[in-house]
């Protein structure tokens, strides 16, 4: 009888333990569901509203999860430190964050950031690539695809269909390839798993670094918008091979704009044709395009390339002169002869044509 009573008491105690365990599991999973639902409602931003900006952060060795959450919040990478810490705890990532240097962007979710912080610490692999000065968006996309860095279509999609939070972009009018001119040519080192969106943002960040605050003031003093300055710089980049001529060519462009005269820059027609060609035909000069400066007055509708720093500075600080024309005088070196009159200009052109 005592044995039977003891067995019943044991079973009763065991059932209480089982009920307690089941209750804890129900509370845990219900809490997880509630968290997931509220997180989606409050912490995440709809994809179409995301504005992407690349941010570099450093996580020192020994940094606590709470301190990491503060670093992320201070850099605009997360909206709420409590949600980030709560997610990190529930997902088991809280004590697995690694120290190191990270390149993140404001389009990432808390979950994506937490995954990166736990898997891509100081030993993450990188790859380098170089974008030459004067490359177009299309040329950049092809180069990155050829080097197996990202697909051409992915890069073009990141250029055309993603918003980026940089001051200079606010002034760019809506047009096809809106970021043309702002993907700064340089050598970059990126993580091997960087997305096309990451790459575009990094290039824009470099432009933002190069285009100093005083450049904005200088553009205003010249009476031009930033996009017009970059358009001028993009023409200089395509027209000039000799560094010392950049400011002179810039001066010619401004002189023609003031007259007003049509710019008649071959580089803009070449861009409109979008066909690699050593020399233009006279028929090419009649192509109907907003980039054809032989047919249309003023600047083209936007940059024709992505200029480097020297061309940008030349666009901001042109050499003052009376020159209205420049002609190639040495095809091998790329040197030009500058003239004030059309007659002198035509003589140089005629001489060069005979040499060919």
């Amino acid at each position: 009888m005592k044995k039977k009573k003891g067995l019943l008491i044991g079973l009763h105690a065991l059932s209480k333990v089982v009920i307690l365990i089941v209750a804890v599991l129900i509370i845990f999973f219900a809490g997880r569901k509630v968290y997931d639902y509220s997180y989606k409602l409050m912490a995440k931003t709809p994809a179409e509203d995301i504005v992407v900006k690349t941010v570099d952060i450093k996580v020192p060795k020994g940094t606590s999860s709470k301190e990491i959450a503060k670093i992320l919040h201070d850099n605009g990478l997360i909206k709420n430190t409590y949600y980030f810490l709560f997610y990190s705890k529930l997902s088991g990532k809280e004590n697995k964050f690694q120290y190191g240097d990270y390149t993140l962007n404001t389009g990432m979710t808390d979950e994506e950031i937490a995954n990166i912080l736990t898997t891509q610490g100081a030993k993450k692999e990188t790859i380098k690539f170089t974008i030459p000065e004067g490359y177009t968006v299309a040329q950049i996309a092809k180069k990155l695809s050829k080097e197996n860095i990202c697909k051409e279509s992915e890069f073009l999609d990141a250029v055309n269909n993603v918003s980026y939070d940089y001051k200079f972009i606010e002034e760019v009018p809506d047009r096809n390839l809106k970021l043309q001119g702002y993907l700064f040519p340089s050598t970059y080192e990126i993580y091997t798993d960087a997305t096309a969106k990451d790459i575009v943002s990094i290039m824009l960040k470099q432009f933002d670094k190069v285009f100093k605050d005083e450049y904005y003031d200088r553009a205003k003093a010249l009476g031009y918008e930033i996009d017009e300055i970059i358009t001028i710089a993009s023409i200089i980049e395509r027209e000039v091979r000799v560094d010392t001529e950049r400011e002179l060519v810039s001066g010619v462009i401004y002189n023609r704009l003031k007259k007003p005269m049509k710019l008649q820059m071959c580089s803009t027609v070449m861009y409109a044709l979008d066909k690699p060609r050593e020399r233009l035909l006279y028929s090419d000069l009649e192509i109907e395009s907003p980039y054809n400066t032989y047919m249309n007055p003023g600047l083209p509708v936007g940059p024709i390339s992505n200029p480097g720093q020297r061309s940008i500075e030349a666009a901001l600080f042109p050499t003052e002169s009376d020159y209205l024309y420049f002609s190639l005088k040495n095809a091998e070196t790329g040197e030009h002869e500058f003239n004030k009159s059309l007659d002198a200009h035509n003589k140089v052109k005629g001489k060069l044509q005979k040499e060919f």
Side-chain angles (χ1 to χ4, degrees):
M1 187 72 179
K2 286 182 180 179
K3 287 184 179 180
K4 188 175 180 182
K5 188 175 181 181
L7 182 61
L8 288 172
I9 291 171
L11 289 171
H12 182 68
L14 181 62
S15 65
K16 282 186 176 181
V17 171
V18 171
I19 290 170
L20 182 61
I21 291 172
V22 170
V24 169
L25 288 173
I26 290 172
I27 292 170
F28 174 80
F29 287 110
R32 184 65 182 268
K33 287 285 185 184
V34 170
Y35 165 75
D36 287 341
Y37 180 72
S38 61
Y39 177 79
K40 288 175 182 177
L41 283 179
M42 299 178 67
K44 296 180 75 176
T45 305
E48 60 268 22
D49 295 334
I50 290 175
V51 178
V52 178
K53 185 173 184 179
T54 294
V55 181
D56 294 321
I57 66 165
K58 185 178 187 68
V59 177
K61 194 171 184 178
T63 306
S64 68
S65 297
K66 189 174 180 180
E67 290 169 330
I68 291 173
K70 186 178 185 306
I71 291 170
L72 296 172
H73 184 268
D74 290 347
N75 284 277
L77 291 162
I78 62 173
K79 292 184 177 180
N80 191 304
T81 57
Y82 297 107
Y83 272 105
F84 180 80
L85 290 170
F86 188 40
Y87 166 76
S88 301
K89 192 174 187 67
L90 282 179
S91 62
K93 296 183 174 69
E94 184 182 26
N95 297 315
K96 296 180 181 179
F97 293 142
Q98 301 173 7
Y99 71 91
D101 296 323
Y102 295 89
T103 298
L104 306 171
N105 71 65
T106 53
M108 292 176 174
T109 64
D110 289 15
E111 184 178 357
E112 288 171 330
I113 292 172
N115 286 337
I116 289 170
L117 290 173
T118 55
T119 61
Q120 301 174 13
K123 295 181 180 179
K124 192 173 176 185
E125 290 185 16
T126 61
I127 188 172
K128 285 185 178 181
F129 67 91
T130 299
I131 301 302
E133 295 170 344
Y135 259 38
T136 64
V137 167
Q139 287 174 313
I140 294 172
K142 283 178 179 151
K143 189 175 194 295
L144 293 175
S145 176
K146 188 176 180 181
E147 295 178 14
N148 295 317
I149 293 171
C150 72
K151 292 180 181 178
E152 188 174 341
S153 59
E154 291 174 346
F155 184 80
L156 293 175
D157 182 65
V159 168
N160 291 319
N161 301 318
V162 179
S163 297
Y164 300 88
D165 184 20
Y166 291 95
K167 179 181 176 181
F168 53 87
I169 295 178
E170 295 173 5
E171 299 181 10
V172 180
D174 287 330
R175 59 164 177 260
N176 188 33
L177 295 177
K178 185 175 180 178
L179 300 182
Q180 177 93 288
Y182 302 93
L183 301 177
F184 195 78
S186 184
T187 296
Y188 295 94
E189 185 172 10
I190 58 170
Y191 293 129
T192 51
D193 61 349
T195 65
K197 183 172 65 176
D198 295 330
I199 295 168
V200 171
S201 190
I202 288 166
M203 296 177 79
L204 293 173
K205 182 180 180 182
Q206 186 60 23
F207 179 94
D208 192 44
K209 182 180 177 182
V210 169
F211 205 86
K212 307 169 188 175
D213 288 341
E214 52 263 39
Y215 288 178
Y216 287 90
D217 296 333
R218 176 60 180 168
K220 189 175 180 180
L222 288 170
Y224 286 85
E225 301 290 336
I226 302 302
D227 196 55
E228 293 173 319
I229 294 294
I230 299 305
T231 298
I232 293 170
S234 73
I235 295 172
I236 295 169
E237 194 66 73
R238 284 291 195 165
E239 292 281 346
V240 179
R241 284 164 54 192
V242 180
D243 265 350
T244 55
E245 292 184 352
R246 294 184 193 277
E247 286 78 11
L248 280 168
V249 169
S250 180
V252 170
I253 292 172
Y254 280 106
N255 287 343
R256 283 179 161 261
L257 290 171
K258 288 173 188 174
K259 279 288 183 185
M261 296 171 64
K262 288 178 182 175
L263 289 183
Q264 296 183 322
M265 298 287 161
C266 294
S267 57
T268 65
V269 177
M270 195 72 78
Y271 179 76
L273 290 172
D274 197 26
K275 296 175 185 176
R277 193 178 290 178
E278 287 186 12
R279 297 181 68 185
L280 290 172
L281 304 174
Y282 283 111
S283 58
D284 295 332
L285 305 182
E286 298 176 1
I287 183 174
E288 290 188 13
S289 167
Y291 289 95
N292 185 352
T293 56
Y294 275 83
M295 298 286 289
N296 306 306
L299 291 167
V301 294
I304 62 169
S305 72
N306 292 281
Q309 187 168 356
R310 281 288 288 109
S311 290
I312 292 172
E313 290 174 347
L316 288 164
F317 302 97
T319 295
E320 291 187 17
S321 72
D322 295 326
Y323 294 138
L324 292 169
Y325 305 91
F326 61 93
S327 300
L328 187 68
K329 69 176 181 180
N330 190 319
E332 199 170 309
T333 64
E335 290 177 275
H336 290 94
E337 182 169 316
F338 294 81
N339 289 288
K340 302 173 186 178
S341 70
L342 181 59
D343 286 342
H345 172 69
N346 285 336
K347 284 179 183 178
V348 175
K349 284 181 67 177
K351 182 180 178 184
L352 186 64
Q353 287 171 353
K354 286 179 183 178
E355 290 176 359
F356 276 102

